[in-house]
Amino acid sequence: MRFVIAGNSAAGVAAVETLRRLGGRQNHITVVTDEPGETYSRCMLPDLLAGKKTEYSIRLRPPDFYRKLGVELLGGVAAVALQPGEKKLLLQDGRELAYDRLLVATGARPVLPEVPGAEARGVFTLRTLTDARLIASLAPRVSRAVIAGGGLVGLKTAYALKTAGLDGVTVVVTSPRLLIRQLDEEAAALVERELRSAGINFIYNARIKAFVTGSGGDLAGVELEDGRELPAGLAVVAKGVRPNDTLVGEAGGETGKGIVVDRYLRTTLENVYAAGDCIQVTDRVTAQKVSSALWTLAFEQGRYAAANMLGLARPYPAPLTRLNSARFGTVDVISVGRLEGPEVMARYDPLRFTYRRLVFDGERLAGFILAGKVDGAGVYTALVKSGRPAWTYRRQLLEGRAGSVALSNFLTFH
Amino acid sequence: MQKEVLINFDRCLGCRSCQLACAVAHSTAGNLFGAILNGEKPRTRIFVHQVGGQKAPLNCRHCEDAPCIDACIAGAMHRQEDGTVTNVGGEQQCTACWMCVMVCPYGVIRSDAAGTMALKCDRECRDEAGVPACVRACPTGALVYAGVDEYSGRRRVDVLARALQQVSGNF
Ligand SMILES: Cc1cc2nc3c(=O)[nH]c(=O)nc-3n(C[C@H](O)[C@H](O)[C@H](O)COP(=O)(O)OP(=O)(O)OC[C@H]3O[C@@H](n4cnc5c(N)ncnc54)[C@H](O)[C@@H]3O)c2cc1C
Ligand code: SF4
Ligand code: SF4
């Protein structure tokens, strides 16, 4: 059988490994990616900016990965069209790849603001290694940077630039506080305190009106809607991502908040599967249709898609789509499941410098936040995921004594 | 058959010998007094919990479709040939992002003392006979290193199920 995979990141790599592990060596596997070079961890790009990691150390797999698995890698070439009838994928350079089964794992791309000057030199998004290289090469030559967006990528970028030695780093946030989609007020305040003490500034309830350019067309500053002007030689826009679903969409496949797939991760096009940031999933607790947009999900979907492409019929269970872990200085935060619900309990544990918040929906733990120390978080995640009664454990969970819950997880899953 | 650290929950007395042995085996000094003299804070990767009147140890199950491997953004968490799931000894280095901590259902991944990497059962503690330190240290036979067989598996967890039922009333 001929397998073609478009995309060489979390979902693509997991699929390749699974195709070989479960399918042996006889199948032909080709991976196409529009990025040059080896697979790397996108999530670690901020560490690269901060100077904490090198390009070498953010590789996801060793250099001989594809050769060892006997996989053909076509790098630096985009797939531009899909002909499901002929079972062909057309590449930018005119090549045509025939497949028996195709996996679309094309991920997502950053949303760009539609404001004047967004194309100025010095305005970036951070999604690819190329982006990171461009930002890293400009950063030492400027003294002030503006980050648009108070989400995880925005804050990680701000922290990284500060760590790299940039003097003035300001985050412009549309909402009244940071991490509005990941954290409640208390946990967000812990993160904000940490970032402020690192020297990062925040402007809330503010929108960018224009990027202002100087003489040579380089960025000179950012103008806000309220009239304020912030001088800056570098700006990074981190306002979320959009799924790369056009290959499938233009070929007549169904798309919504990403490529629509069934529980076997099949698109509506025959013999075409999809996994990762490019697909739409149904959230396990809210039952809402949302973009996938998480590393963990991309990886597990790549695994499931590959098994299904081999004909093993592995239904992919509805995932938790809030599943975030982040570190800012000494503050670790983990946020899973719903942020709000019928019954909310929260407590700061001064002994362990840890804030815990639980959201219950009836007997069921629907979500939680841990900020400070996060050891044992997975025990809570498993409760949210399984949906089994957890109300009797509320005190232990709130106090971070989750031992008996861990053991009950053991009985449930093992 | 791949070997696992099997837990006979009915035998655990809660003496925590396994915890101590695990921590010491993973210390740089390799023995208790050396570790103390070095000022090391050895950390255990096996945890003895209290469930009602019952004590119960728990460590990594080296899961088949391990969630911690899916979650690892660094590519550090991987499976070795013998089935061991570990974030050391591979090509990539742990970056302490706690993604694995977020998804391990048994809470058996912890941070090191300095918060710079995730620690878990890596079976690096096995002696010349291939026996893990926790198993060697357990005086009651609550921990056994062997291949799994379904029937004895049921019996081993029965007592745990009963203890949990008493504390939670909903099992
Ligand atoms: C700075 C940053 C930090 C992040 N931090 C976290 C985090 O802490 N936790 C978390 O869960 N997630 C995080 N994410 C998100 C995470 O990186 C993504 O969820 C994950 O990378 C998705 O993997 P993927 O394989 O679906 O797609 P992507 O990683 O987006 O990769 C897409 C692949 O497809 C290729 N491709 C795209 N279009 C084409 C085409 N037309 N032809 C050929 N190839 C194509 C690309 O070259 C690439 O190889 C972060 C993202 C960023 C940018
Ligand atoms: S660390 Fe947890 S998730 Fe990973 S293999 Fe061990 S028990 Fe499974
Ligand atoms: S803490 Fe280390 S092992 Fe765990 S997911 Fe992060 S990088 Fe991987």
Side-chain angles (χ1 to χ4, degrees):
Chain A
M1 204 130 47
R2 282 192 70 95
F3 294 113
V4 172
I5 300 174
N8 185 31
S9 185
V13 165
V16 164
E17 286 177 340
T18 309
L19 284 175
R20 279 292 179 245
R21 186 162 51 84
L22 301 178
R25 297 289 286 204
Q26 75 267 32
N27 299 305
H28 195 281
I29 304 176
T30 305
V31 174
V32 194
T33 162
D34 60 2
E35 288 185 73
E38 297 159 15
T39 181
Y40 60 89
S41 174
R42 217 169 280 298
C43 310
M44 284 161 74
L45 292 174
D47 292 343
L48 188 68
L49 281 188
K52 284 197 262 181
K53 299 271 174 187
T54 61
E55 289 192 15
Y56 185 81
S57 62
I58 67 162
R59 292 169 317 154
L60 191 58
R61 291 292 182 269
D64 59 353
F65 172 70
Y66 293 95
R67 194 183 47 76
K68 267 197 175 154
L69 289 179
V71 169
E72 180 187 20
L73 176 67
L74 307 178
V77 52
V80 290
L82 170 56
Q83 297 178 336
E86 289 77 54
K87 297 207 262 184
K88 271 187 192 158
L89 185 67
L90 310 189
L91 307 188
Q92 193 179 25
D93 59 7
R95 267 183 290 185
E96 299 184 350
L97 294 180
Y99 61 80
D100 295 305
R101 305 249 196 290
L102 170 70
L103 176 66
V104 178
T106 45
R109 65 185 180 286
V111 177
L112 272 171
E114 290 180 15
V115 300
E119 61 300 319
R121 260 203 315 269
V123 181
F124 302 95
T125 54
L126 178 58
R127 181 75 189 181
T128 64
L129 184 54
T130 310
D131 295 335
R133 284 181 186 152
L134 290 172
I135 297 171
S137 73
L138 180 60
R141 292 185 276 126
V142 303
S143 57
R144 275 177 293 223
V146 166
I147 313 297
L152 283 168
V153 172
L155 297 183
K156 285 182 189 177
T157 308
Y159 195 67
L161 289 174
K162 194 71 210 175
T163 310
L166 231 82
D167 211 21
V169 176
T170 303
V171 185
V172 176
V173 189
T174 318
S175 324
R177 61 173 173 84
L178 50 79
L179 295 172
I180 199 134
R181 284 167 45 207
Q182 283 80 23
L183 300 180
D184 68 337
E185 257 174 65
E186 284 77 2
L190 288 176
V191 173
E192 196 203 80
R193 185 152 28 116
E194 189 73 15
L195 293 175
R196 276 195 195 276
S197 72
I200 296 168
N201 307 307
F202 293 91
I203 301 179
Y204 294 108
N205 301 307
R207 271 172 219 277
I208 290 176
K209 189 171 164 199
F211 294 97
V212 186
T213 49
S215 47
D218 292 339
L219 183 74
V222 173
E223 189 186 340
L224 302 183
E225 278 185 353
D226 63 10
R228 267 182 289 182
E229 279 198 35
L230 311 171
L234 169 66
V236 181
V237 178
K239 305 289 265 179
V241 296
R242 221 166 259 149
N244 288 326
D245 54 9
T246 45
L247 269 183
V248 170
E250 285 172 2
E254 197 182 330
T255 60
K257 299 248 160 74
I259 299 167
V260 173
V261 292
D262 66 8
R263 53 200 206 107
Y264 298 103
L265 298 171
R266 290 180 298 205
T267 69
T268 55
L269 302 173
E270 206 152 343
N271 300 309
V272 180
Y273 295 71
D277 278 16
C278 60
I279 73 168
Q280 166 184 294
V281 293
T282 304
D283 183 84
R284 192 179 184 91
V285 275
T286 65
Q288 276 175 0
K289 291 189 165 43
V290 292
S291 305
S292 183
L294 286 172
W295 180 270
T296 311
L297 303 191
F299 212 89
E300 68 182 19
Q301 288 159 11
R303 215 162 37 72
Y304 276 89
N308 287 310
M309 288 163 78
L310 289 165
L312 296 173
R314 293 256 172 92
Y316 177 60
L320 296 174
T321 60
R322 184 179 291 106
L323 197 63
N324 291 302
S325 168
R327 307 195 75 185
F328 297 101
T330 58
V331 178
D332 296 328
V333 285
I334 286 182
S335 160
V336 175
R338 279 166 62 179
L339 277 184
E340 296 296 340
E343 188 87 43
V344 175
M345 43 185 83
R347 180 176 300 176
Y348 184 77
D349 174 350
L351 282 181
R352 288 203 268 174
F353 304 103
T354 297
Y355 173 74
R356 302 188 188 91
R357 174 191 171 96
L358 309 176
V359 176
F360 279 95
D361 186 354
E363 285 272 297
R364 173 179 184 172
L365 183 68
F368 72 91
I369 294 171
L370 301 183
K373 300 269 171 288
V374 299
D375 281 349
V379 174
Y380 300 64
T381 305
L383 280 181
V384 178
K385 211 166 171 179
S386 74
R388 62 182 210 280
W391 181 248
T392 41
Y393 295 122
R394 64 193 177 283
R395 183 143 300 123
Q396 283 124 295
L397 293 170
L398 202 55
E399 290 168 4
R401 295 180 294 108
S404 49
V405 186
L407 288 161
S408 73
N409 286 341
F410 173 80
L411 284 192
T412 310
F413 297 119
H414 204 59
Chain B
M1 203 186 327
Q2 282 186 352
K3 285 186 173 179
E4 278 185 40
V5 174
L6 305 177
I7 308 167
N8 292 310
F9 288 103
D10 53 341
R11 297 204 170 176
C12 177
L13 298 176
C15 69
R16 298 185 189 267
S17 303
C18 54
Q19 289 193 183
L20 185 64
C22 175
V24 168
H26 286 95
S27 69
T28 328
N31 66 72
L32 184 57
F33 297 107
I36 291 171
L37 284 177
N38 286 352
E40 275 187 71
K41 284 193 206 130
R43 293 213 150 188
T44 183
R45 296 139 193 244
I46 183 166
F47 306 91
V48 178
H49 299 296
Q50 174 98 37
V51 190
Q54 185 72 32
K55 305 273 189 180
L58 192 57
N59 64 349
C60 171
R61 302 290 92 206
H62 302 274
C63 309
E64 198 176 331
D65 287 322
C68 59
I69 298 181
D70 284 348
C72 180
I73 61 165
M77 196 66 84
H78 66 288
R79 184 184 305 280
Q80 293 175 334
E81 301 253 308
D82 67 351
T84 305
V85 175
T86 176
N87 60 340
V88 295
E91 280 279 334
Q92 272 65 42
Q93 274 203 339
C94 173
T95 179
C97 68
W98 314 144
M99 294 280 282
C100 55
V101 171
M102 175 174 67
V103 298
C104 170
Y106 313 125
V108 293
I109 312 179
R110 301 279 162 111
S111 86
D112 64 353
T116 52
M117 88 173 271
L119 304 180
K120 69 179 290 298
C121 167
D122 54 13
R123 295 179 176 158
E124 296 286 317
C125 58
R126 284 173 286 194
D127 62 13
E128 314 77 52
V131 180
C134 55
V135 173
R136 173 130 309 207
C138 178
T140 64
L143 299 173
V144 184
Y145 195 49
V148 198
D149 91 72
E150 276 300 320
Y151 174 74
S152 67
R154 283 268 144 267
R155 197 173 49 80
R156 284 198 326 268
V157 297
D158 270 356
V159 52
L160 176 62
R162 262 180 272 125
L164 277 164
Q165 203 156 26
Q166 279 163 17
V167 287
S168 73
N170 63 18
F171 246 87

Short mmCIF file of all heavy atoms in Angstrom, two decimals, chain A residues 101-139:
data_model
loop_
_atom_site.label_atom_id
_atom_site.label_comp_id
_atom_site.label_asym_id
_atom_site.label_seq_id
_atom_site.Cartn_x
_atom_site.Cartn_y
_atom_site.Cartn_z
N ARG A 101 -3.84 5.66 0.56
CA ARG A 101 -4.43 6.40 1.68
C ARG A 101 -3.57 7.65 1.93
O ARG A 101 -2.35 7.56 2.00
CB ARG A 101 -4.41 5.58 2.96
CG ARG A 101 -5.06 4.23 2.86
CD ARG A 101 -6.35 4.19 3.66
NE ARG A 101 -6.79 2.83 3.90
CZ ARG A 101 -7.27 2.01 2.96
NH1 ARG A 101 -7.32 2.41 1.69
NH2 ARG A 101 -7.67 0.79 3.27
N LEU A 102 -4.27 8.76 2.12
CA LEU A 102 -3.58 10.03 2.37
C LEU A 102 -3.91 10.52 3.77
O LEU A 102 -5.06 10.45 4.20
CB LEU A 102 -4.04 11.07 1.34
CG LEU A 102 -3.60 12.53 1.57
CD1 LEU A 102 -2.10 12.70 1.33
CD2 LEU A 102 -4.37 13.48 0.64
N LEU A 103 -2.90 11.02 4.49
CA LEU A 103 -3.16 11.69 5.77
C LEU A 103 -2.84 13.17 5.61
O LEU A 103 -1.72 13.53 5.26
CB LEU A 103 -2.31 11.10 6.90
CG LEU A 103 -2.48 11.83 8.25
CD1 LEU A 103 -3.88 11.65 8.82
CD2 LEU A 103 -1.45 11.34 9.27
N VAL A 104 -3.83 14.01 5.88
CA VAL A 104 -3.61 15.45 5.87
C VAL A 104 -3.30 15.85 7.31
O VAL A 104 -4.15 15.73 8.20
CB VAL A 104 -4.84 16.21 5.33
CG1 VAL A 104 -4.61 17.71 5.39
CG2 VAL A 104 -5.13 15.76 3.90
N ALA A 105 -2.06 16.30 7.54
CA ALA A 105 -1.63 16.70 8.88
C ALA A 105 -0.94 18.05 8.76
O ALA A 105 0.19 18.23 9.19
CB ALA A 105 -0.69 15.65 9.48
N THR A 106 -1.66 18.98 8.13
CA THR A 106 -1.06 20.25 7.74
C THR A 106 -1.12 21.32 8.83
O THR A 106 -0.71 22.46 8.60
CB THR A 106 -1.76 20.79 6.47
OG1 THR A 106 -3.18 20.65 6.65
CG2 THR A 106 -1.34 20.00 5.25
N GLY A 107 -1.66 20.99 9.99
CA GLY A 107 -1.57 21.90 11.13
C GLY A 107 -2.38 23.18 10.97
O GLY A 107 -3.46 23.18 10.38
N ALA A 108 -1.85 24.26 11.50
CA ALA A 108 -2.57 25.53 11.51
C ALA A 108 -1.59 26.66 11.22
O ALA A 108 -0.39 26.48 11.27
CB ALA A 108 -3.23 25.74 12.87
N ARG A 109 -2.15 27.81 10.91
CA ARG A 109 -1.31 28.99 10.68
C ARG A 109 -1.83 30.14 11.54
O ARG A 109 -3.03 30.18 11.86
CB ARG A 109 -1.32 29.37 9.21
CG ARG A 109 -2.68 29.81 8.73
CD ARG A 109 -2.75 30.07 7.24
NE ARG A 109 -4.10 30.48 6.88
CZ ARG A 109 -5.16 29.68 6.81
NH1 ARG A 109 -5.02 28.40 7.08
NH2 ARG A 109 -6.34 30.14 6.49
N PRO A 110 -0.97 31.08 11.90
CA PRO A 110 -1.40 32.17 12.77
C PRO A 110 -2.38 33.12 12.07
O PRO A 110 -2.30 33.31 10.86
CB PRO A 110 -0.10 32.92 13.07
CG PRO A 110 1.00 32.04 12.62
CD PRO A 110 0.45 31.14 11.57
N VAL A 111 -3.27 33.68 12.85
CA VAL A 111 -4.18 34.70 12.35
C VAL A 111 -3.44 36.03 12.32
O VAL A 111 -2.78 36.39 13.28
CB VAL A 111 -5.39 34.84 13.30
CG1 VAL A 111 -6.32 35.95 12.83
CG2 VAL A 111 -6.12 33.52 13.41
N LEU A 112 -3.54 36.74 11.19
CA LEU A 112 -2.91 38.06 11.11
C LEU A 112 -3.97 39.14 11.27
O LEU A 112 -5.07 39.01 10.77
CB LEU A 112 -2.21 38.22 9.76
CG LEU A 112 -0.76 37.74 9.75
CD1 LEU A 112 -0.22 37.74 8.33
CD2 LEU A 112 0.11 38.61 10.65
N PRO A 113 -3.64 40.20 11.99
CA PRO A 113 -4.64 41.25 12.19
C PRO A 113 -4.83 42.06 10.91
O PRO A 113 -3.88 42.27 10.17
CB PRO A 113 -4.01 42.12 13.28
CG PRO A 113 -2.55 41.93 13.11
CD PRO A 113 -2.34 40.56 12.54
N GLU A 114 -6.07 42.48 10.68
CA GLU A 114 -6.30 43.29 9.48
C GLU A 114 -6.21 44.76 9.85
O GLU A 114 -7.21 45.48 9.87
CB GLU A 114 -7.65 42.93 8.88
CG GLU A 114 -7.60 41.55 8.27
CD GLU A 114 -8.91 41.12 7.65
OE1 GLU A 114 -9.78 41.97 7.43
OE2 GLU A 114 -9.03 39.91 7.40
N VAL A 115 -5.01 45.19 10.19
CA VAL A 115 -4.80 46.60 10.51
C VAL A 115 -3.67 47.13 9.64
O VAL A 115 -2.81 46.37 9.19
CB VAL A 115 -4.46 46.82 12.01
CG1 VAL A 115 -5.57 46.31 12.90
CG2 VAL A 115 -3.13 46.18 12.38
N PRO A 116 -3.67 48.45 9.39
CA PRO A 116 -2.63 49.02 8.52
C PRO A 116 -1.24 48.75 9.08
O PRO A 116 -1.02 48.79 10.29
CB PRO A 116 -2.94 50.53 8.55
CG PRO A 116 -4.35 50.65 9.03
CD PRO A 116 -4.64 49.44 9.83
N GLY A 117 -0.32 48.46 8.19
CA GLY A 117 1.08 48.30 8.58
C GLY A 117 1.44 46.90 9.04
O GLY A 117 2.59 46.64 9.40
N ALA A 118 0.48 45.96 8.99
CA ALA A 118 0.75 44.61 9.50
C ALA A 118 1.84 43.91 8.69
O ALA A 118 2.46 42.96 9.16
CB ALA A 118 -0.53 43.78 9.51
N GLU A 119 2.08 44.40 7.48
CA GLU A 119 3.10 43.75 6.65
C GLU A 119 4.48 44.44 6.79
O GLU A 119 5.43 44.06 6.12
CB GLU A 119 2.66 43.65 5.18
CG GLU A 119 2.37 44.93 4.42
CD GLU A 119 1.25 45.77 5.06
OE1 GLU A 119 0.22 45.24 5.53
OE2 GLU A 119 1.44 47.00 5.09
N ALA A 120 4.58 45.38 7.70
CA ALA A 120 5.85 46.10 7.89
C ALA A 120 6.98 45.17 8.32
O ALA A 120 6.74 44.15 8.96
CB ALA A 120 5.68 47.20 8.94
N ARG A 121 8.23 45.54 7.96
CA ARG A 121 9.37 44.76 8.44
C ARG A 121 9.49 44.93 9.94
O ARG A 121 9.50 46.06 10.44
CB ARG A 121 10.65 45.27 7.76
CG ARG A 121 11.10 44.41 6.60
CD ARG A 121 12.58 44.58 6.32
NE ARG A 121 12.99 45.98 6.32
CZ ARG A 121 13.00 46.75 5.22
NH1 ARG A 121 12.64 46.26 4.07
NH2 ARG A 121 13.39 48.00 5.29
N GLY A 122 9.53 43.83 10.65
CA GLY A 122 9.58 43.92 12.11
C GLY A 122 8.30 43.43 12.78
O GLY A 122 8.25 43.31 13.99
N VAL A 123 7.27 43.15 11.97
CA VAL A 123 6.04 42.57 12.52
C VAL A 123 6.01 41.08 12.18
O VAL A 123 6.12 40.71 11.02
CB VAL A 123 4.77 43.24 11.95
CG1 VAL A 123 3.52 42.62 12.56
CG2 VAL A 123 4.81 44.73 12.18
N PHE A 124 5.90 40.24 13.21
CA PHE A 124 6.00 38.80 13.00
C PHE A 124 4.84 38.05 13.65
O PHE A 124 4.13 38.59 14.48
CB PHE A 124 7.29 38.25 13.64
CG PHE A 124 8.54 38.87 13.13
CD1 PHE A 124 9.13 39.93 13.81
CD2 PHE A 124 9.14 38.40 11.98
CE1 PHE A 124 10.31 40.49 13.34
CE2 PHE A 124 10.31 38.95 11.50
CZ PHE A 124 10.90 40.00 12.19
N THR A 125 4.73 36.79 13.26
CA THR A 125 4.00 35.81 14.07
C THR A 125 5.04 34.77 14.46
O THR A 125 6.13 34.73 13.88
CB THR A 125 2.87 35.14 13.28
OG1 THR A 125 3.41 34.59 12.08
CG2 THR A 125 1.77 36.12 12.95
N LEU A 126 4.73 33.94 15.46
CA LEU A 126 5.67 32.89 15.83
C LEU A 126 4.99 31.53 15.67
O LEU A 126 4.18 31.14 16.50
CB LEU A 126 6.16 33.07 17.27
CG LEU A 126 7.13 31.98 17.77
CD1 LEU A 126 8.36 31.88 16.91
CD2 LEU A 126 7.51 32.22 19.23
N ARG A 127 5.31 30.86 14.58
CA ARG A 127 4.74 29.53 14.34
C ARG A 127 5.79 28.56 13.82
O ARG A 127 5.77 27.39 14.13
CB ARG A 127 3.58 29.63 13.34
CG ARG A 127 2.89 28.33 13.01
CD ARG A 127 1.99 27.87 14.14
NE ARG A 127 1.50 26.51 13.90
CZ ARG A 127 0.67 25.85 14.71
NH1 ARG A 127 0.23 26.44 15.80
NH2 ARG A 127 0.29 24.63 14.45
N THR A 128 6.73 29.08 13.03
CA THR A 128 7.70 28.18 12.40
C THR A 128 9.13 28.53 12.83
O THR A 128 9.38 29.61 13.37
CB THR A 128 7.63 28.28 10.87
OG1 THR A 128 8.04 29.61 10.50
CG2 THR A 128 6.23 28.01 10.35
N LEU A 129 10.02 27.61 12.54
CA LEU A 129 11.44 27.83 12.83
C LEU A 129 11.94 29.06 12.07
O LEU A 129 12.74 29.84 12.60
CB LEU A 129 12.22 26.58 12.43
CG LEU A 129 13.71 26.55 12.73
CD1 LEU A 129 13.99 26.83 14.19
CD2 LEU A 129 14.30 25.20 12.33
N THR A 130 11.45 29.23 10.84
CA THR A 130 11.82 30.42 10.07
C THR A 130 11.41 31.69 10.80
O THR A 130 12.19 32.64 10.92
CB THR A 130 11.16 30.36 8.68
OG1 THR A 130 11.42 29.08 8.12
CG2 THR A 130 11.68 31.44 7.77
N ASP A 131 10.17 31.71 11.33
CA ASP A 131 9.72 32.87 12.12
C ASP A 131 10.69 33.12 13.27
O ASP A 131 11.11 34.26 13.51
CB ASP A 131 8.34 32.61 12.74
CG ASP A 131 7.24 32.46 11.70
OD1 ASP A 131 7.40 32.99 10.58
OD2 ASP A 131 6.23 31.80 12.02
N ALA A 132 11.02 32.06 13.99
CA ALA A 132 11.88 32.20 15.17
C ALA A 132 13.26 32.74 14.79
O ALA A 132 13.81 33.60 15.49
CB ALA A 132 12.02 30.86 15.89
N ARG A 133 13.79 32.26 13.67
CA ARG A 133 15.09 32.76 13.23
C ARG A 133 15.03 34.24 12.91
O ARG A 133 15.93 35.00 13.28
CB ARG A 133 15.52 32.02 11.96
CG ARG A 133 16.03 30.62 12.22
CD ARG A 133 16.44 30.01 10.90
NE ARG A 133 16.80 28.62 11.08
CZ ARG A 133 16.68 27.70 10.12
NH1 ARG A 133 16.21 28.04 8.93
NH2 ARG A 133 17.03 26.46 10.35
N LEU A 134 13.96 34.66 12.24
CA LEU A 134 13.83 36.07 11.87
C LEU A 134 13.72 36.94 13.12
O LEU A 134 14.38 37.98 13.24
CB LEU A 134 12.61 36.28 10.98
CG LEU A 134 12.72 35.68 9.57
CD1 LEU A 134 11.38 35.77 8.83
CD2 LEU A 134 13.82 36.39 8.77
N ILE A 135 12.90 36.50 14.06
CA ILE A 135 12.73 37.28 15.29
C ILE A 135 14.05 37.33 16.05
O ILE A 135 14.49 38.39 16.51
CB ILE A 135 11.62 36.67 16.18
CG1 ILE A 135 10.28 36.73 15.46
CG2 ILE A 135 11.55 37.40 17.52
CD1 ILE A 135 9.16 35.97 16.15
N ALA A 136 14.73 36.18 16.16
CA ALA A 136 15.99 36.12 16.91
C ALA A 136 17.06 36.99 16.27
O ALA A 136 17.93 37.52 16.98
CB ALA A 136 16.47 34.67 17.02
N SER A 137 17.02 37.14 14.96
CA SER A 137 18.08 37.95 14.35
C SER A 137 17.79 39.44 14.50
O SER A 137 18.71 40.25 14.53
CB SER A 137 18.27 37.56 12.87
OG SER A 137 17.19 38.05 12.11
N LEU A 138 16.51 39.80 14.63
CA LEU A 138 16.21 41.22 14.82
C LEU A 138 16.32 41.65 16.29
O LEU A 138 16.75 42.78 16.59
CB LEU A 138 14.79 41.52 14.29
CG LEU A 138 14.32 42.97 14.41
CD1 LEU A 138 15.24 43.92 13.63
CD2 LEU A 138 12.88 43.13 13.91
N ALA A 139 15.96 40.74 17.20
CA ALA A 139 15.86 41.09 18.62
C ALA A 139 17.08 41.82 19.20
O ALA A 139 16.92 42.81 19.92
CB ALA A 139 15.52 39.85 19.44
#
